[in-house]
Amino acid sequence: MKSILSLFLLLFIIACAPEKQPADLLVKNGTIYTVNDNFDTADALVIKDGKILEIGLKPELELKYNIAKTYDAKGKTVLPGLIDAHAHLFNLGAKLQNVDLVDTQSYAEVLERVSAFQKEKNVAFILGRGWDQNDWEIKEFPTKKELDSLFPETPVALTRIDGHAMITNSKVLEMAGITSETKMDGGEVIVINGEPTGLLVDTPMSLVWNVIPNMTPEVARQALIDAQKICFELGLTTVNDAGLGRETIELIDTMQADGSLAIRIYAMVSNSKSNLDYYLKKGIIKTDRLNVRSVKVYADGALGSRGAALRAPYSDQENHFGAMITPQDSLMKLAKRIAAAGYQMNTHAIGDSANVAVIRAYQEALKGKTDARWKVEHAQILSASEFDKFSKNIIPSVQPTHATSDMYWAEDRVGSERIKGAYAYKTLLDQAGIIALGTDFPVEKVNPMYTFYAAVARKDLKNYPEDGYRMEEALTREEALKGMTIWAAYSNFEEAEKGSMEVGKFADFTILDQDIMTIPADSIPNVKVISTFVNGKEVYSHE
Ligand SMILES: [Zn+2]
């Protein structure tokens, strides 16, 4: 009798109470820029199993779900997880496995930094870079004496800022077989009182490079973890790594699977014979966190060093055109091979000549293909005739901070006419209907707020120039945000799973302390990330 009664009671409760669905997390009181087709805002979202279950207004959401946990965004700005469409994540981390000696004020400071580094990392071979004795009070080359007393057993090699000299300890000299007798053309082993001082200039440095062990898997793991930490602190949830080898891609996959790496990575395969033989045969590799479906190719070099391939000579160097790294016929062959495999081709093209060659190869290889989404990485200097060749099938992937880093000297290189087709992001967007934004870090800073600022204000971090650099090429804030979210996702064939806050997509989002869509433009670089979420989990918190 008693059990029948309680059964009745239970049925009564079920019948009367509205049925509440279970959910893992409610984020409320946010200014959520959904970046959906209408560019709607919302104030709350509900997450279950790492995906967005519903997005909208808080009161109705709170009533509808049985929520395990609530996050109060306290009126802050919530954006879809930011994507860097062109960066070098692994390189960023690898750099952190070496001692940074840039801006040291004395040799004592160099030794301090090396000791602090080793205390933290305890590596088998200490490598550092960036010292410059001209910055020091005593402007003399250092010797190995102090390094030897600090590190009698651990090899240490510290390269000068220009890469043309290196100070080493005795352990390194011993490993490399360098003695006072070592003589090499094009360089010198500095010897005082019949003994090498540890300083090597140019060619003998190669003897040291020969004995530096390959990066161990442990160090490579640490590199990825360190790089991920920086990205999460700055609100990035997906990074496109522009060129990785098989070993690193497989390590990323392993770490993502075992839970030690949470960031999502679109890994472009570096253009080498072994990589291409392997991946183009294997086909697309896609997990929730890893996307391998593209090849990174270099068409030419960089503008600063006059390596970018131009159609007419450089304006500041007579008869100099720069050079193609991959010539037109090779680009064409490569493009056909990549197209046949169903991969994307993402080609670094800086100079107008390189861009012509790349676009020509793309058009030829993509005949009859309308949704290949091949990318021109940088698309930096374009002839007027090339803009209308960009589309959702041939997508510009650009780095707005390149414009504000290069603006001081770019016109010297190309002159006042060609500069009109350079860093022309608005024109590219108008033609293509889409543009993917990135940084190229660690060449540039990682902070996506700098990308947003450079795209909309076209100024450097000192607010120069006052009225912006060639503002006719500025993007609106809405366009810049799309370039860092939904358009970047689209360029990766990932728009169905990320890039906007919509039902069914990954719960990847970034919470900022200020509203980048409304604050004065010059405040944008100072905007801080409060929280970063990947798959509904908080991976960074400011507190
Ligand atoms: Zn790059």
Side-chain angles (χ1 to χ4, degrees):
M1 187 64 192
K2 208 177 167 193
S3 66
I4 291 174
L5 249 179
S6 49
L7 183 67
F8 256 94
L9 197 65
L10 186 68
L11 286 172
F12 181 77
I13 292 168
I14 291 171
C16 293
E19 200 184 330
K20 284 197 174 191
Q21 297 177 47
D24 300 331
L25 179 69
L26 167 75
V27 178
K28 63 177 186 180
N29 300 329
T31 302
I32 304 173
Y33 289 94
T34 63
V35 195
N36 65 7
D37 285 344
N38 295 325
F39 210 74
D40 289 329
T41 53
D43 70 9
L45 76 147
V46 177
I47 294 156
K48 176 138 179 45
D49 299 330
K51 293 199 169 139
I52 297 171
L53 197 56
E54 196 168 342
I55 183 154
L57 304 172
K58 188 196 64 171
E60 59 192 59
L61 292 186
E62 229 164 5
L63 290 174
K64 207 169 147 188
Y65 295 95
N66 246 326
I67 289 152
K69 216 176 145 189
T70 299
Y71 179 100
D72 188 346
K74 296 178 185 150
K76 304 298 186 195
T77 301
V78 184
L79 304 178
L82 298 174
I83 301 172
D84 191 315
H86 180 123
H88 300 272
L89 183 80
F90 182 70
N91 287 356
L92 173 74
K95 268 183 88 173
L96 295 172
Q97 310 315 308
N98 295 344
V99 197
D100 177 9
L101 301 172
V102 174
D103 292 331
T104 43
Q105 301 302 309
S106 63
Y107 189 43
E109 193 185 342
V110 167
L111 298 169
E112 258 168 50
R113 284 203 204 173
V114 175
S115 300
F117 171 89
Q118 184 61 356
K119 214 171 149 191
E120 190 197 323
K121 301 270 189 192
N122 193 27
V123 297
F125 199 123
I126 303 171
L127 292 167
R129 187 182 174 123
W131 58 269
D132 183 350
Q133 83 284 3
N134 293 318
D135 293 342
W136 303 344
E137 236 165 78
I138 305 161
K139 299 184 189 333
E140 274 168 25
F141 277 126
T143 71
K144 65 183 162 78
K145 197 175 133 221
E146 294 86 348
L147 281 180
D148 280 350
S149 67
L150 284 169
F151 304 102
E153 293 304 324
T154 311
V156 186
L158 312 173
T159 312
R160 195 175 179 278
I161 190 149
D162 62 358
H164 287 281
M166 177 192 272
I167 180 71
T168 62
N169 66 351
S170 294
K171 187 72 191 174
V172 166
L173 295 179
E174 181 196 316
M175 289 169 73
I178 296 170
T179 67
S180 56
E181 305 298 308
T182 307
K183 300 264 185 289
M184 286 176 83
D185 285 341
E188 198 181 351
V189 175
I190 306 294
V191 176
I192 292 177
N193 299 331
E195 204 194 322
T197 65
L199 192 85
L200 311 173
V201 180
D202 286 321
T203 44
M205 290 165 53
S206 64
L207 302 173
V208 177
W209 298 128
N210 288 339
V211 297
I212 293 171
N214 285 335
M215 194 185 258
T216 61
E218 290 71 42
V219 177
R221 265 177 182 269
Q222 193 58 48
L224 287 164
I225 287 168
D226 290 351
Q228 166 179 268
K229 182 165 179 276
I230 293 173
C231 291
F232 285 165
E233 285 169 5
L234 294 166
L236 293 168
T237 57
T238 294
V239 172
N240 291 7
D241 197 313
L244 290 173
R246 182 176 165 189
E247 233 174 279
T248 311
I249 293 172
E250 287 178 350
L251 177 64
I252 288 168
D253 195 18
T254 306
M255 289 176 70
Q256 288 172 332
D258 71 22
S260 53
L261 201 66
I263 196 163
R264 301 190 206 272
I265 297 173
Y266 167 94
M268 305 182 204
V269 173
S270 287
N271 173 26
S272 74
K273 187 182 180 303
S274 60
N275 280 340
L276 264 55
D277 286 349
Y278 178 73
Y279 283 105
L280 296 184
K281 186 156 171 266
K282 190 167 173 69
I284 292 165
I285 299 169
K286 177 74 178 75
T287 71
D288 277 358
R289 294 186 202 247
L290 178 66
N291 195 0
V292 186
R293 57 170 308 138
S294 64
V295 177
K296 169 72 185 301
V297 178
Y298 282 88
D300 65 344
L303 188 66
S305 53
R306 299 184 186 82
L310 297 181
R311 300 171 82 177
Y314 275 74
S315 301
D316 58 0
Q317 191 176 344
E318 235 177 287
N319 295 322
H320 181 75
F321 291 79
M324 292 294 283
I325 289 172
T326 313
Q328 175 83 74
D329 58 331
S330 309
L331 281 174
M332 201 70 93
K333 271 190 221 139
L334 208 51
K336 286 184 177 160
R337 193 175 162 206
I338 292 168
Y343 262 53
Q344 291 167 277
M345 182 162 166
N346 302 340
T347 311
H348 162 120
I350 302 274
D352 51 8
S353 178
N355 275 286
V356 165
V358 168
I359 291 166
R360 199 177 287 161
Y362 282 15
Q363 286 182 320
E364 179 71 23
L366 294 180
K367 269 190 189 143
K369 286 192 161 79
T370 53
D371 194 25
R373 306 187 197 182
W374 285 17
K375 306 189 211 187
V376 182
E377 302 291 340
H378 313 307
Q380 205 167 87
I381 302 156
L382 294 163
S383 305
S385 61
E386 300 308 296
F387 285 100
D388 65 1
K389 291 168 185 163
F390 286 88
S391 65
K392 286 191 166 170
N393 206 31
I394 298 182
I395 298 172
S397 171
V398 305
Q399 303 71 35
T401 47
H402 282 359
T404 51
S405 291
D406 298 359
M407 63 184 170
Y408 316 103
W409 48 261
E411 195 170 334
D412 297 344
R413 298 280 185 281
V414 299
S416 59
E417 206 38 53
R418 283 182 292 189
I419 198 71
K420 291 176 191 159
Y423 315 95
Y425 309 143
K426 182 68 171 178
T427 310
L428 278 167
L429 171 60
D430 287 348
Q431 288 298 332
I434 184 173
I435 195 162
L437 303 183
T439 58
D440 211 4
F441 72 68
V443 174
E444 300 280 354
K445 299 245 167 51
V446 180
N447 194 339
M449 291 304 114
Y450 299 169
T451 300
F452 191 81
Y453 184 57
V456 303
R458 292 182 64 101
K459 295 188 195 186
D460 68 15
L461 295 177
K462 291 179 176 142
N463 301 338
Y464 172 88
E466 209 180 320
D467 298 319
Y469 171 64
R470 293 172 40 230
M471 284 304 281
E472 64 276 16
E473 295 298 348
L475 304 182
T476 66
R477 296 187 197 205
E478 185 176 325
E479 289 163 350
L481 182 57
K482 285 180 174 171
M484 298 162 73
T485 54
I486 191 68
W487 289 337
Y490 184 91
S491 81
N492 295 352
F493 283 93
E494 294 173 338
E495 76 282 8
E497 64 186 46
K498 63 172 78 149
S500 64
M501 311 272 278
E502 292 178 272
V503 173
K505 289 197 178 185
F506 293 135
D508 294 358
F509 52 97
T510 303
I511 303 177
L512 305 178
D513 68 345
Q514 296 179 71
D515 187 342
I516 55 167
M517 304 306 285
T518 57
I519 56 171
D522 288 349
S523 306
I524 291 167
N526 303 319
V527 170
K528 297 279 177 291
V529 172
I530 293 176
S531 256
T532 306
F533 282 77
V534 172
N535 225 48
K537 288 208 174 70
E538 193 172 40
V539 291
Y540 167 73
S541 166
H542 178 62
E543 280 100 60

Short mmCIF file of all heavy atoms in Angstrom, two decimals, residues 206-232:
data_model
loop_
_atom_site.label_atom_id
_atom_site.label_comp_id
_atom_site.label_asym_id
_atom_site.label_seq_id
_atom_site.Cartn_x
_atom_site.Cartn_y
_atom_site.Cartn_z
N SER A 206 79.32 25.14 -36.43
CA SER A 206 78.68 23.96 -37.04
C SER A 206 79.09 22.68 -36.31
O SER A 206 78.33 21.72 -36.26
CB SER A 206 79.03 23.86 -38.52
OG SER A 206 80.43 23.67 -38.66
N LEU A 207 80.33 22.67 -35.76
CA LEU A 207 80.77 21.49 -35.01
C LEU A 207 79.90 21.28 -33.77
O LEU A 207 79.66 20.16 -33.34
CB LEU A 207 82.25 21.65 -34.59
CG LEU A 207 83.25 21.85 -35.74
CD1 LEU A 207 84.64 22.18 -35.18
CD2 LEU A 207 83.30 20.60 -36.62
N VAL A 208 79.42 22.39 -33.23
CA VAL A 208 78.53 22.30 -32.06
C VAL A 208 77.14 21.84 -32.49
O VAL A 208 76.56 20.94 -31.88
CB VAL A 208 78.46 23.65 -31.31
CG1 VAL A 208 77.47 23.56 -30.15
CG2 VAL A 208 79.84 24.07 -30.82
N TRP A 209 76.62 22.45 -33.57
CA TRP A 209 75.28 22.04 -34.04
C TRP A 209 75.24 20.54 -34.29
O TRP A 209 74.23 19.87 -34.03
CB TRP A 209 74.87 22.79 -35.32
CG TRP A 209 74.75 24.29 -35.17
CD1 TRP A 209 75.35 25.24 -35.94
CD2 TRP A 209 73.98 25.01 -34.18
NE1 TRP A 209 75.01 26.50 -35.51
CE2 TRP A 209 74.18 26.40 -34.42
CE3 TRP A 209 73.18 24.63 -33.12
CZ2 TRP A 209 73.60 27.39 -33.64
CZ3 TRP A 209 72.59 25.62 -32.34
CH2 TRP A 209 72.80 26.98 -32.61
N ASN A 210 76.39 19.99 -34.75
CA ASN A 210 76.43 18.55 -35.03
C ASN A 210 76.23 17.69 -33.79
O ASN A 210 75.80 16.55 -33.91
CB ASN A 210 77.78 18.17 -35.66
CG ASN A 210 77.89 18.67 -37.08
OD1 ASN A 210 76.88 18.94 -37.71
ND2 ASN A 210 79.11 18.80 -37.58
N VAL A 211 76.61 18.19 -32.62
CA VAL A 211 76.50 17.34 -31.42
C VAL A 211 75.27 17.66 -30.57
O VAL A 211 75.03 17.02 -29.55
CB VAL A 211 77.77 17.42 -30.54
CG1 VAL A 211 78.98 16.90 -31.31
CG2 VAL A 211 78.01 18.83 -30.01
N ILE A 212 74.49 18.66 -30.99
CA ILE A 212 73.27 18.95 -30.24
C ILE A 212 72.26 17.85 -30.54
O ILE A 212 71.95 17.58 -31.69
CB ILE A 212 72.70 20.34 -30.63
CG1 ILE A 212 73.67 21.43 -30.15
CG2 ILE A 212 71.32 20.55 -30.02
CD1 ILE A 212 73.33 22.82 -30.65
N PRO A 213 71.79 17.19 -29.51
CA PRO A 213 70.86 16.07 -29.76
C PRO A 213 69.54 16.58 -30.33
O PRO A 213 69.14 17.71 -30.09
CB PRO A 213 70.65 15.46 -28.37
CG PRO A 213 71.05 16.52 -27.39
CD PRO A 213 72.01 17.43 -28.08
N ASN A 214 68.88 15.72 -31.11
CA ASN A 214 67.53 16.06 -31.58
C ASN A 214 66.63 16.26 -30.38
O ASN A 214 66.86 15.70 -29.33
CB ASN A 214 66.97 14.93 -32.44
CG ASN A 214 67.61 14.91 -33.81
OD1 ASN A 214 68.10 15.94 -34.29
ND2 ASN A 214 67.64 13.74 -34.41
N MET A 215 65.62 17.07 -30.58
CA MET A 215 64.68 17.31 -29.50
C MET A 215 64.05 15.97 -29.06
O MET A 215 63.54 15.24 -29.89
CB MET A 215 63.59 18.27 -29.98
CG MET A 215 62.77 18.84 -28.86
SD MET A 215 61.42 19.85 -29.50
CE MET A 215 62.08 21.48 -29.22
N THR A 216 64.13 15.69 -27.79
CA THR A 216 63.54 14.44 -27.30
C THR A 216 62.02 14.59 -27.27
O THR A 216 61.50 15.71 -27.20
CB THR A 216 64.02 14.12 -25.88
OG1 THR A 216 63.59 15.19 -25.02
CG2 THR A 216 65.52 13.98 -25.81
N PRO A 217 61.29 13.47 -27.29
CA PRO A 217 59.83 13.56 -27.20
C PRO A 217 59.39 14.31 -25.93
O PRO A 217 58.38 15.02 -25.95
CB PRO A 217 59.37 12.11 -27.17
CG PRO A 217 60.48 11.34 -27.80
CD PRO A 217 61.74 12.08 -27.49
N GLU A 218 60.12 14.15 -24.84
CA GLU A 218 59.75 14.83 -23.59
C GLU A 218 59.82 16.35 -23.77
O GLU A 218 58.92 17.08 -23.34
CB GLU A 218 60.67 14.43 -22.43
CG GLU A 218 60.50 13.01 -21.94
CD GLU A 218 61.03 11.98 -22.93
OE1 GLU A 218 62.11 12.21 -23.51
OE2 GLU A 218 60.34 10.96 -23.16
N VAL A 219 60.90 16.81 -24.41
CA VAL A 219 61.04 18.25 -24.62
C VAL A 219 59.99 18.75 -25.61
O VAL A 219 59.40 19.82 -25.44
CB VAL A 219 62.48 18.61 -25.09
CG1 VAL A 219 62.59 20.09 -25.39
CG2 VAL A 219 63.50 18.20 -24.01
N ALA A 220 59.71 17.94 -26.63
CA ALA A 220 58.69 18.33 -27.62
C ALA A 220 57.32 18.43 -26.95
O ALA A 220 56.55 19.36 -27.22
CB ALA A 220 58.65 17.32 -28.76
N ARG A 221 57.02 17.50 -26.06
CA ARG A 221 55.78 17.56 -25.29
C ARG A 221 55.70 18.85 -24.49
O ARG A 221 54.67 19.54 -24.48
CB ARG A 221 55.74 16.40 -24.27
CG ARG A 221 55.01 15.20 -24.73
CD ARG A 221 55.10 14.09 -23.69
NE ARG A 221 54.40 12.93 -24.21
CZ ARG A 221 53.10 12.69 -24.00
NH1 ARG A 221 52.38 13.47 -23.24
NH2 ARG A 221 52.53 11.67 -24.57
N GLN A 222 56.80 19.14 -23.81
CA GLN A 222 56.84 20.34 -22.98
C GLN A 222 56.64 21.59 -23.85
O GLN A 222 55.96 22.54 -23.46
CB GLN A 222 58.17 20.42 -22.22
CG GLN A 222 58.17 21.45 -21.10
CD GLN A 222 57.08 21.19 -20.07
OE1 GLN A 222 56.93 20.07 -19.59
NE2 GLN A 222 56.29 22.21 -19.74
N ALA A 223 57.23 21.58 -25.04
CA ALA A 223 57.10 22.71 -25.96
C ALA A 223 55.62 22.96 -26.27
O ALA A 223 55.14 24.10 -26.24
CB ALA A 223 57.89 22.46 -27.23
N LEU A 224 54.90 21.89 -26.57
CA LEU A 224 53.48 22.04 -26.92
C LEU A 224 52.67 22.51 -25.72
O LEU A 224 51.79 23.37 -25.85
CB LEU A 224 52.93 20.71 -27.45
CG LEU A 224 53.41 20.35 -28.86
CD1 LEU A 224 53.17 18.88 -29.17
CD2 LEU A 224 52.71 21.23 -29.90
N ILE A 225 52.99 21.99 -24.54
CA ILE A 225 52.25 22.38 -23.34
C ILE A 225 52.52 23.86 -23.02
O ILE A 225 51.59 24.61 -22.70
CB ILE A 225 52.63 21.45 -22.16
CG1 ILE A 225 51.98 20.08 -22.40
CG2 ILE A 225 52.21 22.03 -20.82
CD1 ILE A 225 52.48 18.98 -21.49
N ASP A 226 53.76 24.27 -23.13
CA ASP A 226 54.10 25.68 -22.86
C ASP A 226 53.42 26.62 -23.85
O ASP A 226 52.94 27.70 -23.50
CB ASP A 226 55.62 25.89 -22.91
CG ASP A 226 56.34 25.23 -21.73
OD1 ASP A 226 55.66 24.76 -20.80
OD2 ASP A 226 57.59 25.17 -21.76
N ALA A 227 53.40 26.21 -25.12
CA ALA A 227 52.77 27.05 -26.15
C ALA A 227 51.27 27.13 -25.94
O ALA A 227 50.65 28.19 -26.07
CB ALA A 227 53.08 26.50 -27.54
N GLN A 228 50.68 25.99 -25.59
CA GLN A 228 49.24 25.97 -25.33
C GLN A 228 48.88 26.92 -24.19
O GLN A 228 47.87 27.64 -24.27
CB GLN A 228 48.80 24.55 -24.96
CG GLN A 228 47.41 24.49 -24.36
CD GLN A 228 46.98 23.07 -24.01
OE1 GLN A 228 46.36 22.40 -24.82
NE2 GLN A 228 47.28 22.63 -22.81
N LYS A 229 49.69 26.94 -23.16
CA LYS A 229 49.42 27.79 -22.00
C LYS A 229 49.34 29.27 -22.43
O LYS A 229 48.41 29.98 -22.04
CB LYS A 229 50.53 27.59 -20.97
CG LYS A 229 50.35 28.38 -19.69
CD LYS A 229 51.30 27.85 -18.61
CE LYS A 229 51.15 28.64 -17.32
NZ LYS A 229 51.95 29.88 -17.32
N ILE A 230 50.28 29.68 -23.25
CA ILE A 230 50.28 31.07 -23.73
C ILE A 230 49.01 31.35 -24.54
O ILE A 230 48.36 32.38 -24.37
CB ILE A 230 51.55 31.33 -24.58
CG1 ILE A 230 52.79 31.27 -23.69
CG2 ILE A 230 51.46 32.67 -25.31
CD1 ILE A 230 54.09 31.35 -24.44
N CYS A 231 48.65 30.42 -25.40
CA CYS A 231 47.46 30.61 -26.24
C CYS A 231 46.19 30.71 -25.39
O CYS A 231 45.36 31.60 -25.62
CB CYS A 231 47.32 29.45 -27.23
SG CYS A 231 48.62 29.49 -28.47
N PHE A 232 46.03 29.85 -24.41
CA PHE A 232 44.84 29.88 -23.56
C PHE A 232 44.78 31.19 -22.77
O PHE A 232 43.71 31.77 -22.60
CB PHE A 232 44.81 28.68 -22.62
CG PHE A 232 44.43 27.38 -23.29
CD1 PHE A 232 44.66 26.17 -22.66
CD2 PHE A 232 43.83 27.38 -24.54
CE1 PHE A 232 44.30 24.97 -23.27
CE2 PHE A 232 43.47 26.18 -25.16
CZ PHE A 232 43.71 24.97 -24.52
#
